[in-house]
Amino acid sequence: MAGRARPDKVVPITSGRPVTSYDVARHAGVSQSAVSRCFKPGASVSKKMRARVMAAAEELGYEPNAIARSLITRRSNLIAVLISNLTNLYYPEVLAELTQRLSAAGVRVLLFTLSREAEADEVLQQVWPYRVDGVIASAQLSPAHVAEFEKRSVPLVFYNRYLNSVSVSSVCCDQEDGVRQLIDGLYKAGHRKYAIIAGPPDSVVGVERKTAALERLEELGLEDVPVLGEDYSYENGFNSVNELMAAGGGPPHAVICANDVVAIGALDSFRVNHGLVAPRDISVVGFDGVGPASWKSYDLTTIRQPVRRMTEAAVSMLLSMIEEPEMPREKRVFSGILRTGSSAKFVE
Amino acid sequence: MAGRARPDKVVPITSGRPVTSYDVARHAGVSQSAVSRCFKPGASVSKKMRARVMAAAEELGYEPNAIARSLITRRSNLIAVLISNLTNLYYPEVLAELTQRLSAAGVRVLLFTLSREAEADEVLQQVWPYRVDGVIASAQLSPAHVAEFEKRSVPLVFYNRYLNSVSVSSVCCDQEDGVRQLIDGLYKAGHRKYAIIAGPPDSVVGVERKTAALERLEELGLEDVPVLGEDYSYENGFNSVNELMAAGGGPPHAVICANDVVAIGALDSFRVNHGLVAPRDISVVGFDGVGPASWKSYDLTTIRQPVRRMTEAAVSMLLSMIEEPEMPREKRVFSGILRTGSSAKFVE
DNA sequence: TCATAAATTGCATTCGAATGCAATGTTAGG
DNA sequence: CCTAACATTGCATTCGAATGCAATTTATGA
């Protein structure tokens, strides 16, 4: 590109600091504003100018500085994604989809993971300084937190969370409907004795699944259903089954688990510790439809969350809230898709 | 805080745009520079000044604008994390650890996921404008890409990748050593007939595992080991076993898999399709030590990557490269930890 | 108590790109 | 060929915080 080296006019491509629009302007013999306009789609620039500037930019290896741009445009082109526990098998899929879609929309992702849901305070303090254009939160925020978003006019979309007390946009999988589908199928298959292995009490989704299950069972005339467990882990499923069996009274007919991983733990425990094999001796259902749910050793009956659609909805909602701040809040609830497998006797 | 409302002096806490250091300065009756200094640890400020400013800042709900700060300090406090496929069970764990550690160090994470490893070009174009302070890449970059980093003086640390042709800092798990541990244990247990189910040919780590296995087997006098498979999926393990069995010649004694998920697929296939149960009829080993490896249905013999140590190393290397750009490049290789389970007859 | 050193503070400028406005250059119509 | 209408371009300013330097205040020591 540079041809033979000319000692007094070295192309500063290897110089210390990044190339700025001024460097390009000087090199092309035009003004800085011209350079800026060349990088703005739809700006008023002649093609002669554009060609000159682009050539110079190319030659110098110029990349517009997004930081400087953000400062003046008041648009960081960043959105923050808050995720509570990435180790839950379900979330990596969501995160991958989200970043993919956001990237495609030209937005960059600032990732924040919360190990404890209570960490929200600290994390939000880290979010504000970056003047993100919006936030997708799959973590528990309080009404006070949501108020902060309002005050700062930062668009927020909840993913699989919501708050009844305040008006927030959200995308959720219909937990209640999913649980109903599961229970009804189990009931039709003749199961009358149930147990529930619940998730963490501080997970809205988890609590909802548990509550929905209890309600539906009650509607069907089944009460005093034992509820065990307290998190989303394999161990929780595994140990809860042991507890359940130790309590005497024989095994239940069917176990409704907080999610797939718990169901997998339960299945293993039934088989390994108690010699009960699904679907012959026991029925177990999960929730989420993660990859391992379809592994042959488990082949879960579960509700698959339509992650594609949900992430797509979350992203498009957020982007339109960014474009149009007065957009009314909206909740979008997607039904889960039933997957039947050999982990349960089940009648659709 | 504001006491009774005074119509003509409303605290602008709810006003449209974010509070700036000028607003705080005016409210506190000091200069903007004073405000700035109050938010800079170690700056020369009297305690009286600090108290006044902090009170004003508090009252107005001021958060320093990280974008503006980055512009002048030439430090974005952002680091980019490039991850190739989040759906590989192993990476969510890595990502969670990385963000956790980086957050703790006061650095924010810009996440980029590549669906195809070839996407690196596009992704890097998205990375440069943000003037990130550094990059952790768990994705395949070419020597040309690495040269770009050099040119731009952007610190780079590879995670479980490296390039022989150029000098780059990296953190890796010792694939060769891990494979050796696995094979030696299998060999001592008497296995003489092996098969390999490999990962994707464009994964350095995958290729390395395969090659290391073939070499070690050859050292032990075993040649003509069949190699099947081409990605990191459950299906790959599952189908490769079918192929292997269809090829005739009876089942192998032991199968070395590209990773745990492949091993799990293989185990399921052996059991479900061919009636072979580990460790009685067949031995299968994996690699990574992901969560499901220790689920009772699989109980894999595998090499667990020391993710904690590795992420810690990657983060600390990157941070010191940022502090001290002249820091020499360094490769850190960690040995994996053997986990023995019932998926293989194995002698330690 | 007074001069001098040290600690604070404010002023003015800087980072790099975007943009309103005015000053040019171009084109088209008469 | 001339002028109005339009398209380009450059100038100067802006975004919000950080910082070198000078001015001011305070602390120190004789």
Side-chain angles (χ1 to χ4, degrees), chain B residues 152-174:
Chain B
R152 299 171 189 265
S153 329
V154 176
L156 166 67
V157 173
F158 270 125
Y159 187 96
N160 258 351
R161 312 282 148 128
Y162 60 81
L163 291 169
N164 285 316
S165 50
V166 292
S167 146
V168 203
S169 287
S170 61
V171 172
C172 293
C173 178
D174 192 334

Side-chain angles (χ1 to χ4, degrees), chain B residues 21 36 40 62 69:
Chain B
S21 60
S36 170
K40 188 190 176 181
Y62 170 70
R69 174 180 291 165

Side-chain angles (χ1 to χ4, degrees), chain A residues 20-21 32-33 36 40 62 65 68-69 72:
Chain A
T20 73
S21 59
Q32 178 268 329
S33 18
S36 171
K40 188 190 176 181
Y62 169 69
N65 182 327
R69 172 180 293 166
I72 187 74

Side-chain angles (χ1 to χ4, degrees), chain B residues 183-192 194 283 344-347:
Chain B
I183 292 183
D184 289 1
L186 292 168
Y187 191 87
K188 278 194 215 150
H191 297 302
R192 292 295 180 273
Y194 291 81
S283 286
K345 270 204 288 286
F346 198 90
V347 175

Side-chain angles (χ1 to χ4, degrees), chain A residues 239-297:
Chain A
N239 298 330
S240 295
V241 164
N242 293 343
E243 271 181 56
L244 189 63
M245 298 298 286
H253 299 160
V255 180
I256 294 147
C257 299
N259 72 4
D260 289 343
V261 174
V262 170
I264 285 172
L267 280 172
D268 274 353
S269 184
F270 275 124
R271 185 175 53 76
V272 174
N273 300 334
H274 310 285
L276 301 177
V277 175
R280 196 190 56 202
D281 315 311
I282 187 78
S283 287
V284 174
V285 299
F287 208 113
D288 283 349
V290 298
S294 50
W295 290 354
K296 297 286 181 201
S297 290

Side-chain angles (χ1 to χ4, degrees), chain B residues 99-138:
Chain B
T99 55
Q100 214 84 147
R101 291 180 192 285
L102 288 166
S103 283
V107 175
R108 304 299 148 239
V109 173
L110 264 183
L111 177 65
F112 296 86
T113 59
L114 330 199
S115 44
R116 301 161 293 115
E117 296 250 345
E119 236 175 355
D121 265 314
E122 306 163 38
V123 168
L124 287 182
Q125 299 298 36
Q126 301 176 351
V127 170
W128 304 133
Y130 280 91
R131 302 294 190 263
V132 295
D133 294 340
V135 173
I136 294 180
S138 188

Side-chain angles (χ1 to χ4, degrees), chain B residues 219-296:
Chain B
E219 282 173 24
L220 294 169
L222 300 168
E223 304 196 353
D224 299 322
V225 174
V227 177
L228 301 89
E230 53 187 355
D231 67 42
Y232 283 137
S233 68
Y234 176 89
E235 287 71 24
N236 181 38
F238 197 83
N239 298 330
S240 294
V241 164
N242 293 344
E243 272 181 55
L244 189 64
M245 297 299 287
H253 299 161
V255 180
I256 294 147
C257 298
N259 71 4
D260 289 344
V261 174
V262 170
I264 285 172
L267 280 173
D268 273 353
S269 185
F270 274 124
R271 185 174 55 75
V272 175
N273 300 334
H274 309 286
L276 301 176
V277 175
R280 194 189 58 201
D281 315 310
I282 187 78
S283 286
V284 174
V285 299
F287 209 112
D288 283 348
V290 298
S294 48
W295 291 353
K296 296 288 180 199

